[in-house]
Amino acid sequence: MLPEQFLDRMKNLLGGEYADFLASFDRPNYESLRVNLLKGREKEFADKVDFLEEAVPWAKGGYYYRHGERPGRHPFHEAGVYYIQEASAMAPAAYLEPRPGERVLDLCAAPGGKSTQLACAMMGQGLLVCNEIHPQRAKILSENIERMGIGNALVLNHEPAFLTKRFPAYFDKILVDAPCSGEGMFRKNHEAIEEWSPDNVKMCARRQRDILESAALMLRAGGRLVYSTCTFAPEEDEGTISGFLKEHPEFHLEEVKKYPGMMAGMPLFPEADIEEIEKTVRLWPHKLKGEGHFAACLKKREDAADGAMNPGTEEKGITLKDCGEWEEFRDQCLKVSLDGSYIKFGEQLYLMPEGTPSLKGLKVLRPGLHLGTFKKKRFEPAHALALFLKPEEVKNTRDLSLTEASAYLSGQTLLTDGEKGWYLISVEGYSLGWGKLSGNVMKNHYPKGLRTNFCVQ
């Protein structure tokens, strides 16, 4: 079923390893997830489930899980305790090495696996901008940012070239997980096989160069940029990086750790004719437990002429005194202040990340942490706020067993005693949503659009 021209090219690339590469298409997929370190420690989670196997070597919090398990149908998934993510796809964000307090851009971010991985490394500190050009995919990205309890992210919906005008030399770190021909996903995605053609590979390479050009303009001097794809095509991998470096002497490739099974970039073809291309990384499915991937770590020179950090104009927002019902809810229900700059979108209130740039003229899906909605003389907390908070940060809580949590997720009410008002509902210590107690009935405020029946494993 694989395209003949693709196979001919792979045979020329791999030589004696070609047979092993073809054999990898017949083995079962390796399935993996990444623990959300914003929710707690890895060991605490690992002690609560029985489906994890070995750790993914190159990604903190990454684990393979037993074949046939369905962690996406577990209450912990809805609590944002982990993100189901292909193991090789965890490598680019790990190589970017974002730190708390930095300005970080994920330029082609949907569906959000790498963005949520970056957020874990930033530990809620700094500014994470997650951008996606396609509106529907941007919506899915925003939903995953919410599920994982991330409070310091802006979700935007723009072409990369547009953002260069707003954020020149603005970011410390940029991830470009570029749209590609998807050859590395052929084992898992038959649609990618049907859409493949040599012309599509060339089209992807041209688009990737344009995206890289935009990213380069938004990176500060001394900043790091990681470029990645999930394809084997030299034109889209080493060829794209070689062409970019020839036109951008202010950038150079950085050497990164190559874990067992990872290989250096391949210089043995016309598209990659610079010596340092071997500093790039290829992940081959016949050499490690993962799919095909490529990554290159680029550093912008400290003295780059166009790289002076641009502080930009910050969004002013509104003050706490303009958020009366929110302040009342916070003081009555929370043990944390959640101080900062607030912004209203209609009746929706958000807490913006520190240093949020001006949002004027931007298509913003999520301007930070969604706190809730102003109703008539009251404030109703958002689902995002529940997933962001920890049980110890809320005055009234109700912790559920896995069986009880499954009932809650399907929309059922709970019978319980206690003080009337808002409760943070959690499952085995992980925040899950809101409930409101009146008498001995806990009204279920889990979003109706998310309700479904879940499996207890």
Side-chain angles (χ1 to χ4, degrees):
M1 297 295 293
L2 295 172
E4 184 175 348
Q5 289 172 290
F6 166 76
L7 292 175
D8 289 342
R9 186 239 287 154
M10 297 310 297
K11 187 173 184 178
N12 289 332
L13 277 179
L14 290 169
E17 294 186 15
Y18 178 66
D20 291 337
F21 172 75
L22 279 187
S24 72
F25 284 82
D26 295 325
R27 65 163 169 76
N29 296 333
Y30 292 104
E31 297 173 306
S32 52
L33 57 79
R34 181 176 41 76
V35 179
N36 183 0
L37 302 179
L38 297 174
K39 295 279 183 175
R41 298 178 180 177
E42 290 179 56
K43 188 177 187 308
E44 293 173 352
F45 168 69
D47 290 342
K48 293 180 179 181
V49 297
D50 63 359
F51 49 76
L52 298 185
E53 294 187 324
E54 64 185 294
V56 176
W58 48 85
K60 190 173 183 180
Y63 287 90
Y64 298 99
Y65 61 87
R66 282 201 307 268
H67 185 72
E69 297 287 349
R70 301 176 68 192
R73 301 288 296 168
H74 194 290
F76 285 172
H77 180 269
E78 300 312 295
V81 183
Y82 50 80
Y83 191 102
I84 298 173
Q85 186 177 16
E86 199 280 311
S88 293
M90 300 179 193
Y95 281 136
L96 190 64
E97 297 182 351
R99 297 176 181 174
E102 291 184 325
R103 295 174 177 176
V104 180
L105 170 64
D106 188 354
L107 188 53
C108 312
K114 295 177 177 66
S115 286
T116 59
Q117 188 177 356
L118 298 173
C120 285
M122 296 173 73
M123 296 303 293
Q125 302 172 44
L127 174 66
L128 174 61
V129 177
C130 312
N131 180 69
E132 172 57 43
I133 187 173
H134 299 289
Q136 188 58 38
R137 284 172 55 80
K139 182 180 178 182
I140 295 170
L141 166 65
S142 183
E143 291 168 351
N144 280 321
I145 292 293
E146 175 175 287
R147 181 173 64 85
M148 300 296 277
I150 296 166
N152 64 324
L154 303 181
V155 179
L156 306 181
N157 172 217
H158 281 286
E159 293 185 3
F162 174 86
L163 295 180
T164 62
K165 304 169 187 176
R166 296 296 300 269
F167 300 108
Y170 185 83
F171 294 99
D172 299 290
K173 306 276 176 68
I174 298 178
L175 178 63
V176 177
D177 185 45
C180 66
S181 57
E183 296 173 1
M185 294 292 114
F186 277 2
R187 290 189 341 108
K188 299 179 68 174
N189 186 350
H190 290 287
E191 288 185 9
I193 298 176
E194 295 172 0
E195 294 172 358
W196 186 91
S197 71
D199 286 341
N200 186 48
V201 168
K202 293 176 183 177
M203 182 274 291
C204 287
R206 290 192 296 270
R207 179 173 57 191
Q208 290 152 1
R209 286 292 298 276
D210 290 341
I211 294 172
L212 260 181
E213 291 290 335
S214 296
L217 292 172
M218 290 187 278
L219 190 67
R220 69 162 175 85
R224 171 179 276 200
L225 187 159
V226 169
Y227 170 85
S228 65
T229 73
C230 58
T231 189
F232 304 115
E235 299 97 320
E236 300 179 65
D237 294 342
E238 293 92 343
T240 293
I241 293 299
S242 296
F244 175 80
L245 288 174
K246 289 174 184 177
E247 296 179 7
H248 290 273
E250 74 275 20
F251 280 87
H252 67 269
L253 280 167
E254 288 191 300
E255 190 77 60
V256 295
K257 180 177 180 180
K258 295 180 176 67
Y259 293 83
M262 294 183 179
M263 302 296 291
M266 304 176 69
L268 304 177
F269 44 85
E271 292 87 354
D273 56 355
I274 62 173
E275 184 177 346
E276 63 175 337
I277 203 67
E278 293 187 359
K279 293 180 180 178
T280 61
V281 183
R282 275 186 177 260
L283 288 75
W284 292 101
H286 64 290
K287 288 181 171 291
L288 46 69
K289 294 181 178 181
E291 304 303 326
H293 233 79
F294 172 85
C297 299
L298 298 159
K299 183 73 176 289
K300 196 172 193 177
R301 281 204 334 253
E302 294 283 356
D303 61 349
D306 63 345
M309 175 63 91
N310 174 16
T313 302
E314 292 188 8
E315 185 70 35
K316 293 181 179 180
I318 59 178
T319 63
L320 185 60
K321 67 180 181 180
D322 299 315
C323 308
E325 292 88 351
W326 155 250
E327 185 177 14
E328 181 180 351
F329 168 85
R330 183 197 67 175
D331 293 345
Q332 288 180 355
C333 301
L334 307 185
K335 296 179 181 179
V336 290
S337 61
L338 297 182
D339 293 326
S341 296
Y342 303 92
I343 188 169
K344 283 183 69 177
F345 276 67
E347 298 304 310
Q348 308 302 315
L349 181 67
Y350 290 81
L351 177 65
M352 295 187 294
E354 185 176 353
T356 294
S358 172
L359 303 179
K360 184 178 181 181
L362 292 176
K363 291 186 283 187
V364 182
L365 278 74
R366 186 172 296 271
L369 175 62
H370 187 197
L371 298 175
T373 307
F374 289 103
K375 302 285 188 177
K376 187 176 181 180
K377 296 183 179 180
R378 65 185 176 88
F379 185 84
E380 186 166 301
H383 185 56
L385 178 60
L387 294 172
F388 172 80
L389 293 167
K390 295 179 172 60
E392 60 268 23
E393 297 174 328
V394 182
K395 292 179 181 178
N396 292 324
T397 62
R398 174 76 157 80
D399 194 51
L400 307 180
S401 67
L402 290 175
T403 301
E404 291 171 325
S406 295
Y408 170 80
L409 291 168
S410 68
Q412 295 182 32
T413 57
L414 305 171
L415 298 179
T416 188
D417 295 323
E419 179 183 348
K420 71 176 184 179
W422 288 101
Y423 280 68
L424 182 68
I425 307 299
S426 59
V427 52
E428 295 196 0
Y430 298 117
S431 303
L432 196 56
W434 292 108
K436 194 171 186 180
L437 186 62
S438 178
N440 67 338
V441 177
M442 183 79 73
K443 184 178 179 181
N444 193 322
H445 280 262
Y446 193 73
K448 292 182 179 179
L450 299 178
R451 294 178 184 180
T452 187
N453 293 318
F454 286 84
C455 302
V456 178
Q457 300 184 349

